Amino acid sequence: MAVHNRSRWNTADNKRMTNPLSLIIRGTCISFIFSLLSVLLLAIFTLVSDSEYLETYLEYIMVAISIGSIFLGSVLATQKAEAKGLLIGMSVGILYVGISVLIGMELNNDAVTTLVLLNKLLAGVAAGALGGLVGVNL
Protein backbone atom coordinates (compact mmCIF):
# COMPACT_ATOMS: atom_id res chain seq x y z
CA MET A 1 0.00 0.00 0.00
CA ALA A 2 1.38 3.39 -0.98
CA VAL A 3 1.92 6.04 1.65
CA HIS A 4 0.06 9.25 0.85
CA ASN A 5 2.10 12.32 1.76
CA ARG A 6 -0.11 15.23 2.82
CA SER A 7 2.67 17.55 3.80
CA ARG A 8 1.92 21.24 3.25
CA TRP A 9 5.36 21.66 1.70
CA ASN A 10 4.51 19.51 -1.29
CA THR A 11 1.51 21.46 -2.52
CA ALA A 12 1.55 23.39 -5.77
CA ASP A 13 0.47 26.56 -3.93
CA ASN A 14 3.71 26.70 -1.99
CA LYS A 15 6.16 26.74 -4.91
CA ARG A 16 9.30 28.70 -4.26
CA MET A 17 10.65 31.17 -6.77
CA THR A 18 13.92 29.82 -8.03
CA ASN A 19 14.79 32.35 -10.73
CA PRO A 20 17.65 34.32 -9.15
CA LEU A 21 17.31 37.27 -11.53
CA SER A 22 13.68 37.86 -10.59
CA LEU A 23 14.60 37.59 -6.90
CA ILE A 24 17.42 40.14 -7.33
CA ILE A 25 15.14 42.59 -9.15
CA ARG A 26 12.41 42.08 -6.55
CA GLY A 27 14.83 42.69 -3.69
CA THR A 28 16.25 45.82 -5.31
CA CYS A 29 12.76 47.24 -5.90
CA ILE A 30 11.80 46.54 -2.28
CA SER A 31 15.01 48.25 -1.14
CA PHE A 32 14.28 51.37 -3.17
CA ILE A 33 10.66 51.52 -1.99
CA PHE A 34 11.76 51.23 1.64
CA SER A 35 14.43 53.91 1.08
CA LEU A 36 11.97 56.30 -0.50
CA LEU A 37 9.44 55.83 2.28
CA SER A 38 12.12 56.30 4.94
CA VAL A 39 13.48 59.44 3.29
CA LEU A 40 9.94 60.81 2.95
CA LEU A 41 9.28 60.25 6.66
CA LEU A 42 12.66 61.79 7.52
CA ALA A 43 11.87 64.84 5.39
CA ILE A 44 8.50 65.29 7.08
CA PHE A 45 10.12 64.92 10.49
CA THR A 46 12.79 67.46 9.55
CA LEU A 47 10.16 69.98 8.44
CA VAL A 48 8.04 69.52 11.55
CA SER A 49 10.83 69.56 14.12
CA ASP A 50 13.48 72.16 14.73
CA SER A 51 16.29 69.87 15.78
CA GLU A 52 19.92 70.80 15.21
CA TYR A 53 20.99 67.24 15.97
CA LEU A 54 19.09 65.93 12.99
CA GLU A 55 20.92 68.23 10.62
CA THR A 56 24.23 67.36 12.26
CA TYR A 57 23.78 63.61 11.86
CA LEU A 58 21.78 63.57 8.62
CA GLU A 59 24.61 61.98 6.63
CA TYR A 60 24.87 59.08 9.09
CA ILE A 61 21.10 58.65 9.14
CA MET A 62 21.08 58.39 5.33
CA VAL A 63 23.80 55.73 5.42
CA ALA A 64 21.78 53.79 8.00
CA ILE A 65 18.66 54.03 5.82
CA SER A 66 20.59 52.75 2.80
CA ILE A 67 22.13 49.82 4.67
CA GLY A 68 18.81 48.97 6.31
CA SER A 69 17.08 49.09 2.93
CA ILE A 70 19.60 46.74 1.36
CA PHE A 71 19.30 44.37 4.31
CA LEU A 72 15.49 44.37 4.18
CA GLY A 73 15.39 43.93 0.41
CA SER A 74 17.83 41.02 0.61
CA VAL A 75 15.88 39.33 3.38
CA LEU A 76 12.57 39.61 1.54
CA ALA A 77 14.11 38.52 -1.78
CA THR A 78 15.81 35.44 -0.41
CA GLN A 79 12.90 34.22 1.69
CA LYS A 80 11.51 32.58 -1.45
CA ALA A 81 14.86 31.11 -2.47
CA GLU A 82 15.87 27.65 -1.40
CA ALA A 83 19.57 28.33 -1.83
CA LYS A 84 22.05 30.95 -3.04
CA GLY A 85 20.93 33.48 -0.44
CA LEU A 86 24.42 34.89 -0.09
CA LEU A 87 24.81 35.49 -3.82
CA ILE A 88 21.31 36.92 -4.24
CA GLY A 89 21.76 39.23 -1.25
CA MET A 90 25.15 40.44 -2.46
CA SER A 91 23.70 41.05 -5.91
CA VAL A 92 20.87 43.11 -4.43
CA GLY A 93 23.47 45.19 -2.58
CA ILE A 94 25.60 45.72 -5.69
CA LEU A 95 22.61 46.64 -7.85
CA TYR A 96 21.20 49.02 -5.22
CA VAL A 97 24.53 50.81 -4.78
CA GLY A 98 25.11 50.99 -8.53
CA ILE A 99 21.71 52.50 -9.25
CA SER A 100 21.84 54.91 -6.31
CA VAL A 101 25.32 56.12 -7.27
CA LEU A 102 24.17 56.69 -10.85
CA ILE A 103 21.13 58.63 -9.63
CA GLY A 104 23.33 60.67 -7.28
CA MET A 105 25.78 61.47 -10.05
CA GLU A 106 22.94 62.60 -12.31
CA LEU A 107 21.33 64.78 -9.66
CA ASN A 108 24.54 66.38 -8.37
CA ASN A 109 26.48 66.55 -11.66
CA ASP A 110 29.42 65.38 -9.60
CA ALA A 111 32.02 62.68 -10.10
CA VAL A 112 32.38 59.90 -7.56
CA THR A 113 35.85 59.06 -6.31
CA THR A 114 37.03 55.47 -6.34
CA LEU A 115 37.41 55.35 -2.55
CA VAL A 116 33.84 56.55 -1.94
CA LEU A 117 32.45 54.11 -4.49
CA LEU A 118 34.44 51.23 -3.02
CA ASN A 119 33.27 52.14 0.50
CA LYS A 120 29.62 52.22 -0.56
CA LEU A 121 29.99 49.02 -2.53
CA LEU A 122 31.59 47.11 0.36
CA ALA A 123 28.90 48.31 2.79
CA GLY A 124 26.17 47.36 0.31
CA VAL A 125 27.64 43.92 -0.34
CA ALA A 126 28.03 43.27 3.40
CA ALA A 127 24.45 44.32 4.19
CA GLY A 128 23.13 42.31 1.25
CA ALA A 129 25.10 39.21 2.19
CA LEU A 130 23.88 39.35 5.77
CA GLY A 131 20.30 39.92 4.63
CA GLY A 132 20.59 37.05 2.17
CA LEU A 133 21.80 34.67 4.85
CA VAL A 134 19.02 35.72 7.22
CA GLY A 135 16.35 35.52 4.51
CA VAL A 136 17.18 31.98 3.40
CA ASN A 137 16.98 30.76 6.99
CA LEU A 138 13.58 32.31 7.71
Side-chain angles (χ1 to χ4, degrees):
M1 190 188 245
V3 177
H4 187 64
N5 189 0
R6 292 188 179 201
S7 173
R8 69 180 182 107
W9 299 108
N10 290 335
T11 62
D13 297 335
N14 231 355
K15 278 190 173 178
R16 292 183 173 230
M17 293 174 56
T18 57
N19 185 4
L21 185 60
S22 66
L23 293 174
I24 292 167
I25 292 170
R26 179 178 183 254
T28 306
C29 290
I30 290 170
S31 295
F32 275 110
I33 290 170
F34 183 74
S35 286
L36 289 174
L37 291 175
S38 298
V39 169
L40 180 66
L41 288 174
L42 183 64
I44 291 170
F45 183 72
T46 303
L47 290 174
V48 171
S49 72
D50 223 10
S51 176
E52 293 177 14
Y53 296 112
L54 190 61
E55 292 177 15
T56 305
Y57 298 112
L58 188 62
E59 183 179 339
Y60 302 113
I61 294 170
M62 291 304 297
V63 169
I65 288 174
S66 295
I67 290 175
S69 297
I70 294 170
F71 179 79
L72 181 70
S74 297
V75 167
L76 294 177
T78 57
Q79 275 184 333
K80 304 240 184 233
E82 293 175 351
K84 300 181 183 176
L86 185 66
L87 294 175
I88 293 170
M90 289 170 62
S91 299
V92 168
I94 290 170
L95 191 60
Y96 178 92
V97 169
I99 292 171
S100 65
V101 165
L102 288 175
I103 291 172
M105 285 174 51
E106 186 67 33
L107 290 176
N108 291 336
N109 291 329
D110 219 7
V112 177
T113 63
T114 307
L115 186 61
V116 170
L117 181 62
L118 186 63
N119 189 15
K120 288 182 181 186
L121 199 58
L122 286 176
V125 167
L130 184 62
L133 291 175
V134 169
V136 166
N137 292 313
L138 286 181

